[in-house]
Amino acid sequence: MATRMVELLTPALTRHHDDGTGATYLDGTLGAGGHTELVAETFPGVAIIGIDRDENALELARDRLSAFGDRITFVHERYDAVAEALRQAGAESYDAGLFDLGVSSMQLDQPERGFAYSVDAPLDMRMNPSDDLTAADVLNTYSHGEIARVLSEFGDERFAGKIASAIVRERETEPFTTSGRLVELLYRAIPAATRRTGGHPAKRTFQALRIEVNSELTSLRNALPAALDNLAVGGRLAIMSYQSLEDKIVKREFVARTTSTSPRGLPVDLPGTAPEFELITRGAERASDAEIEQNPRSASVRVRAVERIARRNP
């Protein structure tokens, strides 16, 4: 949905500041640089800050975006480190931002990273390979209750307790190291009737493990206030979510930021209570049929975007 993202952000990307400088674009989830490449090509005057927690992704992006030279500042951080990224780029704020959440296509396509359940690979799932916790660590060291909580809370897995029992029993024989053994366990633990109608039996468990390993929801809860607080007036922020837990967090934050805090029933907002942001998407936008046909991974995407319309006096 790169083209749609650019459409949503164009009013902010075409801004010019009083000092004559152009807009600043913040890509909080740079990945291999696809979205940023389109922005850089379409808006030659835009300065770009690209954040990613994955050093491998940053190296690929640096190579892909090398033609744009010093227009781009690459930052090796989680996307909740917005203030630090701006500091490294020498910017006080940014005008247009995009967060493309979840695991990237690039990471899914690297079997050795362990994100995909379709191949037998090490149970890693770290977006930043320098982090300590792996999916194997979760399976081999968490208690039954902790594993069940992760699978239920982050994967909405109906059979979380049953799967956790099977994992604890299996790891006593031999620790988990590769995804193939976990997938086999899931086929045995999940009833056949559910397997026939509920999609791949490993999908929910792998999602839950990935979210736990990378503290994804904590990062998102921290990132949204940081991104909104550092957005310039007239700037826009778009978020692409791929599962309901992410989208609920985004929706809740956006609703709070676009709602007056004045008591209901007053004809005007009290001083200091008017919202600083307004929604520029109606609900959550979904990918078109044509987009899904071209890129099946876009089928689950939900897009929400806001514009900053004011800044309250401190």
Side-chain angles (χ1 to χ4, degrees):
M1 296 183 71
T3 301
R4 178 54 180 154
M5 295 306 99
V6 169
E7 288 177 358
L8 285 171
L9 298 176
T10 288
L13 289 166
T14 52
R15 301 179 72 220
H16 287 84
H17 299 285
D18 293 340
D19 60 3
T21 58
T24 296
Y25 169 67
L26 175 75
D27 190 334
T29 49
L30 182 62
H35 286 111
T36 286
E37 183 176 39
L38 181 58
V39 169
E41 290 173 343
T42 308
F43 304 94
V46 169
I48 296 168
I49 304 169
I51 307 174
D52 209 288
R53 67 196 300 182
D54 187 341
E55 281 274 27
N56 297 327
L58 283 175
E59 287 304 313
L60 289 171
R62 282 191 181 98
D63 183 60
R64 179 175 186 170
L65 303 170
S66 59
F68 304 106
D70 58 6
R71 286 177 58 195
I72 305 177
T73 301
F74 296 93
V75 180
H76 181 221
E77 295 281 358
R78 293 195 322 189
Y79 62 83
D80 53 1
V82 173
E84 171 61 18
L86 291 172
R87 186 195 67 77
Q88 291 188 31
E92 294 184 358
S93 61
Y94 69 99
D95 301 284
L98 174 66
F99 290 172
D100 187 0
L101 305 179
V103 65
S104 71
S105 295
M106 176 199 66
Q107 290 166 331
L108 285 171
D109 292 338
Q110 294 176 324
E112 69 276 9
R113 303 294 293 276
F115 290 104
Y117 45 76
S118 57
V119 294
D120 189 19
L123 280 163
D124 193 319
M125 300 193 193
R126 291 173 296 176
M127 292 180 178
N128 180 356
S130 299
D131 289 345
D132 293 328
L133 185 68
T134 68
D137 293 331
V138 174
L139 295 173
N140 293 324
T141 66
Y142 279 27
S143 69
H144 175 278
E146 290 171 327
I147 294 172
R149 174 193 60 79
V150 168
L151 300 185
S152 177
E153 183 177 347
F154 298 153
D156 197 23
E157 175 55 69
R158 290 168 53 201
F159 302 100
K162 186 175 182 181
I163 293 170
S165 296
I167 288 170
V168 170
R169 184 169 58 250
E170 285 274 332
R171 75 188 186 191
E172 293 177 357
T173 304
E174 182 183 354
F176 285 90
T177 57
T178 63
S179 56
R181 183 170 166 225
L182 176 60
V183 171
E184 290 176 3
L185 178 150
L186 293 168
Y187 268 104
R188 295 194 302 269
I190 296 174
T194 300
R195 295 202 308 268
R196 286 194 292 269
T197 58
H200 196 289
K203 180 179 180 179
R204 291 177 296 277
T205 292
F206 271 61
Q207 171 183 295
L209 290 172
R210 192 200 77 219
I211 290 173
E212 174 69 11
V213 166
N214 296 289
S215 301
E216 290 180 38
L217 300 187
T218 299
S219 296
L220 179 58
R221 291 188 184 99
N222 294 335
L224 289 172
L228 293 168
D229 290 345
N230 286 284
L231 184 63
V233 175
R236 291 185 167 197
L237 174 65
I239 310 289
M240 305 174 71
S241 306
Y242 293 86
Q243 39 98 352
S244 61
L245 292 173
E246 294 171 339
D247 186 55
K248 286 177 182 176
I249 293 171
V250 175
K251 179 181 178 181
R252 189 179 303 118
E253 184 72 25
F254 279 8
V255 167
R257 295 290 189 126
T258 57
T259 302
S260 170
T261 57
S262 285
R264 290 184 178 181
L266 295 181
V268 295
D269 292 315
L270 295 175
T273 64
E276 296 179 78
F277 298 84
E278 67 178 11
L279 296 170
I280 54 176
T281 50
R282 185 182 295 275
E285 286 192 10
R286 307 300 293 262
S288 65
D289 291 341
E291 173 78 21
I292 294 171
E293 185 175 351
Q294 180 181 350
N295 177 16
R297 289 175 181 166
S298 68
S300 59
V301 71
R302 301 170 177 87
V303 177
R304 297 181 188 271
V306 291
E307 178 175 328
R308 185 163 209 162
I309 55 175
R311 185 185 295 275
R312 291 179 188 148
N313 293 326

